[in-house]
Amino acid sequence: MKLKFIEEKIFNGLMILATLTVFAFFGSIIWTVAKTGFPSLTWDMITKLPGGGFYLGKEGGILNAIAGSLIIVFCSTLLGLIISIPIVFYINIYLKKGSKLAYFTRLTFDVLFGIPSIVYGAFGFTIMILLGLKTSLLGGIIVITLLIIPIFIRSMDEVAKSISKDLLDAAYSLGATQLETIRVVLRQIAPGITTATLLSIGRAIGDAAGVMFTAGFTDNIPVSLDQPAATLPLAVFFQLSSPIPEVRNRAYAAALLLTIIVLILSIAGRLIMNRFSKNRIQ
Amino acid sequence: MIWRLFKDKTAKRFMQILTIFSLLTVVLMAWGLYYKSSPIIQANSIKELLTSSEWSPLAGKFGFFSFILSSVYVTALSVAIALPISLLTALYLTENAKSWVKKLVFPVLDILAGIPSVVYGLWGTIIIVPFIADVLGPHFVDYTSGYTVLAGGTVLSVMIIPLLVSLFVEIFSTVPKDFKDASSSLGATRWQTSRLVVLRKAMPGIIAAVVLAVSKAFGETLAVLMVCGNMVKRPESLFDSCYPLPALIANNYGEMLSLPMYESALMFAALVMFVVILFFNAISRIILQRVEKSFKL
């Protein structure tokens, strides 16, 4: 056999091996989280606040972290949508193709997308000191909003860029102003908005480094914006460092909960993308 | 009629202001971090801060060298592990794989990309750290705790694989099919085509993707914090523990207000990360855009 065919065989094998390695990592992570988490994932865990002696292994749950995470994620996703839809609309509809400002905006958000959450956290912390805020729900929401706006803009822009020009021209020829085409545009980028939202929720709920500085941690459910808020990733992180096995088990359960949420978001995103991409006008 | 035009104009102005204001975030971040770290920059020179490895906040000595070195080691190791795996996987997906394999791999990559870093950290402490301490370590060194450069690099590599593979797949699919056809018609095998045509044509894109992955690994916080051991000293081997920059910030945010200059020092660490990552990201995004353009013509 010629050398090149031997080489081909070897590298085909290596490629399959590499792909299997990725699967192996995936399997190992899911298996580890499921195996350690399921035994401790009880109804009490999800529905109870930490009781007295919770961090010594006594009873209670992580409802504080679940509630904190949900509030932060909900508020910042909403804020993120409100801020990023106009920006995407502006750079795609109002600005001409090849506009310097549009190019620069895209580049900036590409770059901001890569900035790690710990830097956002540190920045958020300086803002909070400037404004005289303590670690609070508001701080967490601000930082997470900043963190997910680039995700929103990048993934919506990806879809908005490919809106057919004919469709816009049709709207203009009927006398619509550029603003009025927003109804057409929104309908066209709806799947993009949905997947962007799911992506952002996933990143927002899993982020710990950003909220560590800004939202703090507490055993209670926050009822106003200036109270600190607990979050799921931090609940995992803090409890995992405990020497008491019961407490560590709760960390495993919280991690499993996080992973399940991420799994659901990811699968839902894929389904929505598949379903809606068929109905688009190219 | 006039009302509609007025609405259009107002909305345009509003969106313009919002867009420009959003661009200022970067400037604001740079300024905010610089402002907060200026006390320490004035007290010590930047060169001294970056090259000294003497770290004792109580004595007011802040040398970041061992943290920077730790970050560099862990990041380099993670890319060294992830790059071959990602390249081969991406080649397999674009050139060889049947469609059912793709349908299986892409969702898996999606999920891997979405798993929070604290879960990666947990996986690292349960699987990777004991493996290094009990199985791998004893072959090479007398004693290792498992919380090492190697553990950090391995966990980070798994975290950047999804990013690398999806970027590579995107880049490889921009290589025109004509090139590949020409290559196979000259008698090249698939692998020869991949190596001599696809990889060569995609080289700028590959470099840009690696730079992006480097900046992601460099800024990753919780996972490395959980598996690196966090000892303030220069790591000498793969089996030494280390203390990357993000871990330093995350670990000490609680007591940073209690010591003079400490807050400023941590903000300086954040500033260093911000500048490095901003620079890396901007460069690689510009390269990636060029790559896309050059193939679309």
Side-chain angles (χ1 to χ4, degrees):
Chain A
M1 208 159 44
K2 268 190 182 168
L3 188 66
K4 70 173 184 182
F5 292 119
I6 300 173
E7 200 188 332
E8 167 98 0
K9 279 243 152 62
I10 293 174
F11 274 95
N12 270 345
L14 282 178
M15 282 182 202
I16 292 173
L17 194 68
T19 312
L20 287 178
T21 314
V22 175
F23 274 107
F25 280 136
F26 172 74
S28 166
I29 292 170
I30 299 293
W31 170 247
T32 310
V33 174
K35 194 186 69 177
T36 54
F38 264 122
S40 335
L41 190 62
T42 58
W43 193 239
D44 276 7
M45 275 282 302
I46 308 178
T47 54
K48 281 201 176 141
L49 287 174
F54 177 70
Y55 297 102
L56 300 170
K58 300 251 175 58
E59 64 181 37
I62 49 165
L63 185 63
N64 59 330
I66 297 174
S69 272
L70 288 183
I71 297 172
I72 289 180
V73 167
F74 180 77
C75 294
S76 43
T77 308
L78 207 64
L79 275 176
L81 271 174
I82 293 171
I83 295 171
S84 43
I85 288 180
I87 295 178
V88 172
F89 188 76
Y90 183 72
I91 59 177
N92 281 291
I93 305 298
Y94 279 114
L95 293 179
K96 296 190 184 68
K97 270 216 155 64
S99 137
K100 278 255 157 30
L101 181 61
Y103 171 79
F104 196 66
T105 309
R106 290 195 175 105
L107 183 64
T108 306
F109 281 105
D110 274 348
V111 171
L112 278 175
F113 177 71
I115 300 288
S117 62
I118 185 107
V119 175
Y120 279 104
F123 171 64
F125 189 74
T126 61
I127 295 184
M128 285 165 57
I129 290 181
L130 219 65
L131 299 178
L133 291 170
K134 289 215 171 69
T135 51
S136 61
L137 194 57
L138 182 64
I141 293 173
I142 292 175
V143 167
I144 298 295
T145 309
L146 286 177
L147 185 74
I148 60 178
I149 284 177
I151 307 176
F152 269 125
I153 292 186
R154 274 168 45 97
S155 39
M156 289 197 281
D157 184 53
E158 208 55 48
V159 189
K161 260 196 274 186
S162 61
I163 289 179
S164 117
K165 185 135 192 323
D166 297 348
L167 202 64
L168 292 177
D169 286 343
Y172 295 145
S173 70
L174 290 171
T177 61
Q178 280 171 310
L179 178 66
E180 283 159 352
T181 60
I182 197 166
R183 290 191 218 162
V184 182
V185 173
L186 278 185
R187 199 152 302 175
Q188 284 293 301
I189 66 171
I193 295 177
T194 319
T195 41
T197 310
L198 292 173
L199 261 179
S200 307
I201 294 176
R203 176 121 186 234
I205 206 163
D207 184 73
V211 290
M212 202 176 218
F213 284 98
T214 48
F217 202 83
T218 169
D219 282 352
N220 302 310
I221 295 175
V223 287
S224 73
L225 281 175
D226 60 352
Q227 288 180 348
T231 42
L232 266 177
L234 285 182
V236 178
F237 178 65
F238 288 140
Q239 296 185 54
L240 198 63
S241 53
S242 160
I244 302 161
E246 284 84 12
V247 181
R248 277 210 304 275
N249 284 338
R250 289 207 197 100
Y252 300 147
L256 177 63
L257 204 60
L258 258 181
T259 312
I260 291 174
I261 294 172
V262 169
L263 274 174
I264 293 173
L265 288 173
S266 166
I267 292 167
R270 218 151 243 286
L271 287 179
I272 289 167
M273 207 55 178
N274 285 344
R275 165 166 280 192
F276 282 99
S277 52
K278 287 174 201 150
N279 307 332
R280 291 201 53 234
I281 299 169
Q282 287 300 329
Chain B
M1 239 4 206
I2 304 294
W3 170 239
R4 286 178 52 218
L5 290 181
F6 173 75
K7 246 188 355 190
D8 186 52
K9 286 267 181 311
T10 323
K12 181 177 180 181
R13 194 30 60 88
F14 167 73
M15 290 179 186
Q16 189 181 28
I17 292 170
L18 192 68
T19 306
I20 291 171
F21 191 75
S22 75
L23 295 183
L24 289 180
T25 332
V26 183
V27 184
L28 214 65
M29 273 175 99
W31 181 80
L33 292 175
Y34 178 77
Y35 173 75
K36 276 284 160 189
S37 50
S38 59
I40 198 163
I41 297 174
Q42 270 154 22
N44 318 51
S45 71
I46 290 191
K47 184 170 166 260
E48 205 182 298
L49 288 172
L50 294 180
T51 54
S52 149
S53 48
E54 202 177 341
W55 180 263
S56 44
L58 283 172
K61 291 218 158 58
F62 298 99
F64 285 95
F65 189 66
S66 41
F67 303 106
I68 294 171
L69 203 66
S70 297
S71 269
V72 170
Y73 281 172
V74 173
T75 307
L77 181 65
S78 72
V79 174
I81 299 173
L83 186 60
I85 297 178
S86 314
L87 269 180
L88 287 168
T89 307
L91 274 179
Y92 182 65
L93 291 177
T94 42
E95 310 294 328
N96 288 9
K98 301 222 165 51
S99 70
W100 68 267
V101 179
K102 288 188 201 170
K103 273 193 190 132
L104 215 61
V105 177
F106 285 120
V108 163
L109 289 172
D110 259 11
I111 295 168
L112 277 180
I115 290 179
S117 83
V118 72
V119 174
Y120 277 105
L122 183 132
W123 174 70
T125 51
I126 297 180
I127 303 288
I128 302 292
V129 169
F131 179 75
I132 291 173
D134 304 331
V135 184
L136 209 57
H139 291 295
F140 299 95
V141 285
D142 295 334
Y143 169 77
T144 171
S145 63
Y147 293 91
T148 52
V149 177
L150 186 59
T154 314
V155 172
L156 277 182
S157 75
V158 185
M159 297 181 74
I160 60 175
I161 282 176
L163 175 73
L164 278 176
V165 174
S166 51
L167 282 171
F168 286 157
V169 166
E170 223 166 274
I171 294 160
F172 291 162
S173 52
T174 59
V175 177
K177 193 159 181 305
D178 295 354
F179 288 14
K180 296 178 206 166
D181 291 346
S183 162
S184 9
S185 69
L186 291 172
T189 60
R190 263 194 194 151
W191 167 249
Q192 280 176 320
T193 307
S194 299
R195 182 164 59 94
L196 298 170
V197 178
V198 178
L199 284 185
R200 193 164 294 181
K201 269 282 152 199
M203 199 37 95
I206 293 175
I207 294 170
V210 170
V211 175
L212 271 190
V214 165
S215 48
K216 172 157 191 205
F218 188 66
E220 191 47 63
T221 308
L222 238 73
V224 295
L225 173 65
M226 290 162 83
V227 299
C228 278
N230 305 332
M231 301 248 266
V232 190
K233 68 178 178 71
R234 279 190 217 185
E236 307 283 334
S237 80
L238 285 180
F239 296 97
D240 274 353
S241 59
C242 62
Y243 205 164
L245 277 174
L248 170 75
I249 304 174
N251 238 355
N252 296 296
Y253 77 100
E255 59 251 42
M256 73 183 175
L257 292 174
S258 56
L259 288 172
M261 294 298 239
Y262 205 8
E263 186 199 352
S264 186
L266 293 183
M267 290 301 160
F268 179 72
L271 180 66
V272 170
M273 284 171 53
F274 177 76
V275 171
V276 170
I277 289 170
L278 193 74
F279 183 68
F280 274 27
N281 262 287
I283 287 186
S284 74
R285 287 294 173 186
I286 290 170
I287 299 177
L288 277 175
Q289 280 169 0
R290 294 254 162 90
V291 170
E292 241 173 59
K293 259 195 203 141
S294 69
F295 281 123
K296 266 187 187 149
L297 288 176

